[in-house]
Amino acid sequence: MNHAEFPRNDARTLSDDGDSLHFCSTCAFSSACLAEGMDKSSLMDLHVLVEHVGPFHAGEHVFREGDPFEAIAAVRAGTVKTYVIDRDGREHVLGFHLPGEVIGLNAIDGDHYPCNAVALDTVMLCRFSFPKIAVLAARLPGLQRQLFRLLSRDIGRAALLAGDWSADQRMAAFLIGVSRRLAARGFSANRFQLTMARTDIANYLRLAPETVSRVLRRFQEEGLLRVDRRELELVDRVALEALAAPVLRD
């Protein structure tokens, strides 16, 4: 089966909302709700309001640090970068959020968003009122577990980069991680576009931008992948996964 290459921001993707019973293909909560025997119509009966937001275009902010926290949002299409600016004006990239992933979870403990979220390409979101989804989660244990799972996943990704890993290991882990996340949402696991700039990747991986370019060039020379600007193909997935294994704890 051939899977579409990410990003697939065509009209069909941007308008995808499933049907009267089924959720859209990238819904972050559909599996949890379906496990509880709740299809889309059942959730509507519970008056759970999901607001479709977007499109946000590259460079537009979804929220900024300090904005009042009222909702979490699931990415339907595109890529969102989260980041903070330190006291010296330096940017620190916290993560990249792909279709089916949720932004705003790190604001649950406070009344304001603790970071910025910006669109890297054309982004569509499903916005969930947090008070409403919290009430629903209390009634649906599966949904509550999914919220905890999403929180745990975010914490785990951040912790992985704290290790003393080599540049090759960090880059391989990043590529394999992106590949697996896209595959889980029905995109091609081996061919995709890096929608983030190499400077952002370097910032996120705590590497110098020239190191990222050098590692990608060497990976290509060694036959591990093919790179054409932002288009990327994983050629020797086994070798890349072996490099990434210590970081991803495979």
Side-chain angles (χ1 to χ4, degrees):
M1 178 178 178
N2 292 324
H3 296 283
E5 295 175 26
F6 177 79
R8 186 187 58 195
N9 288 345
D10 55 25
R12 180 168 59 88
T13 302
L14 297 179
S15 64
D16 177 22
D17 191 32
D19 55 32
S20 59
L21 293 177
H22 302 96
F23 301 91
C24 77
S25 59
T26 58
C27 180
F29 299 104
S30 61
S31 59
C33 294
L34 293 172
E36 294 291 324
M38 313 227 28
D39 59 22
K40 192 173 179 181
S41 61
S42 301
L43 290 179
M44 287 179 179
D45 292 340
L46 288 172
H47 306 289
V48 177
L49 300 179
V50 179
E51 180 186 4
H52 289 173
V53 182
F56 293 89
H57 301 292
E60 292 183 348
H61 278 77
V62 177
F63 55 76
R64 293 182 183 272
E65 182 177 359
D67 286 350
F69 170 60
E70 298 175 346
I72 58 176
V75 180
R76 296 178 68 199
T79 309
V80 175
K81 178 182 76 173
T82 51
Y83 69 96
V84 293
I85 302 292
D86 67 19
R87 292 180 180 179
D88 297 320
R90 292 186 296 251
E91 180 178 309
H92 300 271
V93 177
L94 302 179
F96 305 104
H97 302 265
L98 304 170
E101 298 177 351
V102 176
I103 56 174
L105 290 169
N106 57 352
I108 290 175
D109 186 45
D111 297 324
H112 298 85
Y113 291 104
C115 65
N116 306 284
V118 64
L120 295 183
D121 51 1
T122 302
V123 167
M124 301 290 290
L125 302 173
C126 281
R127 187 176 182 272
F128 297 83
S129 160
F130 189 72
K132 292 181 183 297
I133 203 170
V135 169
L136 180 61
R139 300 169 66 176
L140 296 177
L143 183 56
Q144 191 175 68
R145 284 193 296 273
Q146 177 69 352
L147 276 172
F148 290 150
R149 191 176 297 121
L150 291 169
L151 277 167
S152 175
R153 191 176 298 160
D154 272 6
I155 294 168
R157 284 179 187 153
L160 287 176
L161 292 175
D164 186 21
W165 312 115
S166 70
D168 285 17
Q169 289 172 316
R170 286 172 182 263
M171 179 56 64
F174 175 73
L175 296 175
I176 292 298
V178 168
S179 166
R180 291 176 180 176
R181 289 155 64 191
L182 291 175
R185 294 296 168 182
F187 291 100
S188 169
N190 294 322
R191 293 178 62 92
F192 50 87
Q193 184 181 122
L194 292 174
T195 48
M196 61 291 293
R198 290 189 185 182
T199 51
D200 282 340
I201 296 172
N203 188 313
Y204 176 65
L205 295 178
R206 309 297 183 257
L207 299 171
E210 55 269 23
T211 300
V212 166
S213 295
R214 186 170 62 250
V215 170
L216 286 175
R217 185 166 57 250
R218 187 170 65 255
F219 280 1
Q220 182 164 235
E221 291 169 352
E222 294 174 354
L224 303 184
L225 50 78
R226 294 192 189 96
V227 183
D228 182 9
R229 297 181 183 178
R230 292 195 179 188
E231 302 289 334
L232 190 142
E233 180 181 2
L234 306 187
V235 177
D236 190 342
R237 189 181 183 91
V238 172
L240 286 169
E241 287 183 332
L243 266 176
V247 185
L248 299 179
R249 304 293 180 94
D250 288 348

